[in-house]
């Protein structure tokens, strides 16, 4: 009887050990299955509840401060605010020079940049762009009396062209042999006045921006060149190439804003009634 009891106890103990081992294996598998994926950049943005955006604060009417106030506004500033609101996020702007903006996006210091940044093949190799929401083309600001001695783009050779070093417009100036004059996040007035007094000869830039910039300084002896129209362009906000979820969500709400006319309304407010969301065609 004593021997039988021992066998039964041994069987019971073996059963308990087996059950314990199985339970342990089961818990291990459950733990593996429930392990969470690493947080993405989009997860972190949602957790913090803030979209960080680089802009210049000096590019009228895209990003600037209204005279007499400290309020940052402008076409793309307001587009970004609407994007953030639809994504249920706050927005925090950081004012930087053009080159610094792109570096800050690339290094993850900010989530995106918005400052009339043209979509190009070269930039698409290093950054992710949103759906375009502004279409335009290039023009040139020159002195009114002699058009700065420029008749065609070929006449840029040897002229002093003002602008940001990495802008597509400065690339055009260099391509045609102009001498580049680079400013560190200067205001429109500085750029325009230097052309008027002869420190520089020309500013190559976007048609809409140039038109409104000149209208703000009617006392300056400058004009948009009547014959220079080139490089049709598309503009969107810029994001890090790895932030795919952010781009998907941004593009989703931009699509909604284009569909319901929100961006067209914002455009009319800052571009004297013009709708920059409409694609343009020019004869080059």
């Amino acid at each position: 009887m004593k021997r039988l009891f021992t066998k039964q106890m041994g069987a019971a103990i073996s059963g308990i050990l087996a059950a314990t081992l199985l339970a342990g294996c089961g818990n291990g598998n459950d733990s593996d299955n429930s392990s969470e994926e690493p947080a993405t950049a989009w997860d972190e943005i949602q957790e913090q509840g803030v979209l960080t955006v680089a802009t210049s604060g000096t590019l009228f009417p895209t990003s600037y401060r209204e005279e007499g106030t400290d309020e940052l506004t402008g076409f793309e500033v307001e587009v970004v605010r609407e994007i953030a609101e639809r994504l249920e996020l706050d927005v925090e702007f950081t004012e930087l020079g053009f080159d610094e903006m792109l570096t800050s996006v690339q290094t993850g210091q900010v989530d995106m940049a918005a400052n009339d940044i043209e979509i190009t093949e070269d930039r698409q190799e290093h950054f992710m762009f949103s759906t375009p929401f502004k279409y335009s083309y290039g023009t040139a600001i020159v002195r009114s009396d002699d058009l700065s001695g420029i008749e065609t783009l070929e006449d840029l050779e040897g002229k002093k062209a003002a602008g940001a070093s990495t802008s597509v417009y400065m690339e055009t100036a260099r391509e045609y042999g102009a001498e580049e004059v680079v400013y560190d996040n200067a205001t429109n007035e500085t750029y325009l006045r230097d052309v008027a007094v002869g420190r520089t000869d020309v500013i190559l830039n976007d048609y809409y921006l140039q038109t409104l910039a000149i209208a703000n300084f009617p006392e300056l002896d400058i004009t948009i060149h009547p014959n220079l129209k080139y490089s049709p362009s598309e503009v969107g906000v810029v994001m890090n190439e790895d932030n795919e979820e952010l781009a998907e969500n941004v593009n989703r709400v931009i699509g909604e804003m284009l569909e319901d006319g929100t961006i067209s309304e914002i455009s009319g407010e800052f571009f004297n009634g013009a709708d920059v969301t409409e694609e343009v065609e020019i004869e080059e």
Side-chain angles (χ1 to χ4, degrees):
M1 188 70 181
K2 185 175 181 180
R3 186 176 178 184
L4 179 60
F5 177 76
T6 302
K7 285 183 178 180
Q8 289 173 335
M9 286 294 294
I13 291 170
S14 297
I16 291 170
L17 289 173
T20 302
L21 289 172
L22 287 172
C25 292
N27 289 339
N29 289 336
D30 290 344
S31 175
D32 290 341
N33 291 336
S34 63
S35 62
E36 296 182 0
E37 294 292 329
T40 64
W42 174 241
D43 292 332
E44 292 176 2
I45 290 169
Q46 287 185 300
E47 182 178 347
Q48 294 170 3
V50 177
L51 188 66
T52 57
V53 183
T55 193
S56 69
T58 60
L59 185 61
F60 180 85
T62 285
S63 171
Y64 66 101
R65 294 188 181 279
E66 289 195 70
E67 188 174 353
T69 78
D70 196 41
E71 178 68 22
L72 184 68
T73 188
F75 171 63
E76 285 192 51
V77 169
E78 300 308 329
V79 167
V80 166
R81 284 194 171 120
E82 181 67 19
I83 289 171
E85 182 175 334
R86 296 193 185 203
L87 293 175
E88 299 182 345
L89 298 169
D90 293 330
V91 59
E92 179 181 295
F93 290 100
T94 300
E95 293 176 43
L96 299 170
F98 184 83
D99 296 342
E100 293 175 285
M101 289 181 215
L102 298 182
T103 300
S104 294
V105 171
Q106 201 163 39
T107 57
Q109 292 174 281
V110 296
D111 301 316
M112 66 170 62
N115 203 71
D116 203 64
I117 302 173
E118 184 177 336
I119 302 169
T120 66
E121 290 184 7
D122 180 63
R123 287 176 183 159
Q124 286 178 313
E125 292 180 2
H126 306 285
F127 300 94
M128 193 174 300
F129 279 86
S130 71
T131 300
F133 51 79
K134 176 177 177 284
Y135 299 88
S136 187
Y137 56 90
T139 54
I141 288 179
V142 292
R143 286 182 289 280
S144 300
D145 55 357
D146 64 351
L147 303 182
S148 297
I150 298 169
E151 291 296 330
T152 68
L153 289 174
E154 282 74 16
D155 295 324
L156 290 173
E157 185 172 0
K159 301 295 184 183
K160 293 181 179 179
S165 179
T166 57
S167 74
V168 295
Y169 299 104
M170 188 59 82
E171 289 174 13
T172 298
R174 283 193 294 266
E175 178 185 344
Y176 285 94
E179 176 187 341
E180 63 182 285
V181 179
V182 178
Y183 296 76
D184 183 18
N185 206 27
T187 63
N188 280 339
E189 182 176 3
T190 300
Y191 278 100
L192 299 175
R193 199 169 293 280
D194 281 359
V195 173
V197 301
R199 292 194 186 98
T200 58
D201 299 303
V202 62
I203 304 169
L204 301 185
N205 213 310
D206 169 80
Y207 166 74
Y208 291 110
L209 299 184
Q210 302 262 55
T211 301
L212 292 173
I214 283 183
N216 268 353
F217 299 95
E219 74 279 8
L220 298 180
D221 183 31
I222 53 177
T223 186
I224 290 182
H225 199 292
N227 303 320
L228 292 185
K229 298 179 181 180
Y230 56 93
S231 301
S233 62
E234 300 179 352
V235 165
V237 295
V238 186
M239 294 160 281
N240 187 288
E241 62 181 344
D242 295 326
N243 291 357
E244 293 185 7
E245 282 185 280
L246 172 61
E248 288 173 4
N249 284 282
V250 166
N251 284 335
R252 173 175 56 80
V253 296
I254 286 177
E256 294 170 358
M257 292 162 64
L258 289 169
E259 182 69 24
D260 64 26
T262 299
I263 299 181
S264 296
E265 290 179 13
I266 297 173
S267 171
E269 179 182 350
F270 290 97
F271 290 101
N272 198 26
D275 185 357
V276 300
T277 68
E278 296 180 355
E279 297 189 42
V280 296
E281 294 183 8
I282 63 170
E283 295 181 7
E284 295 189 83

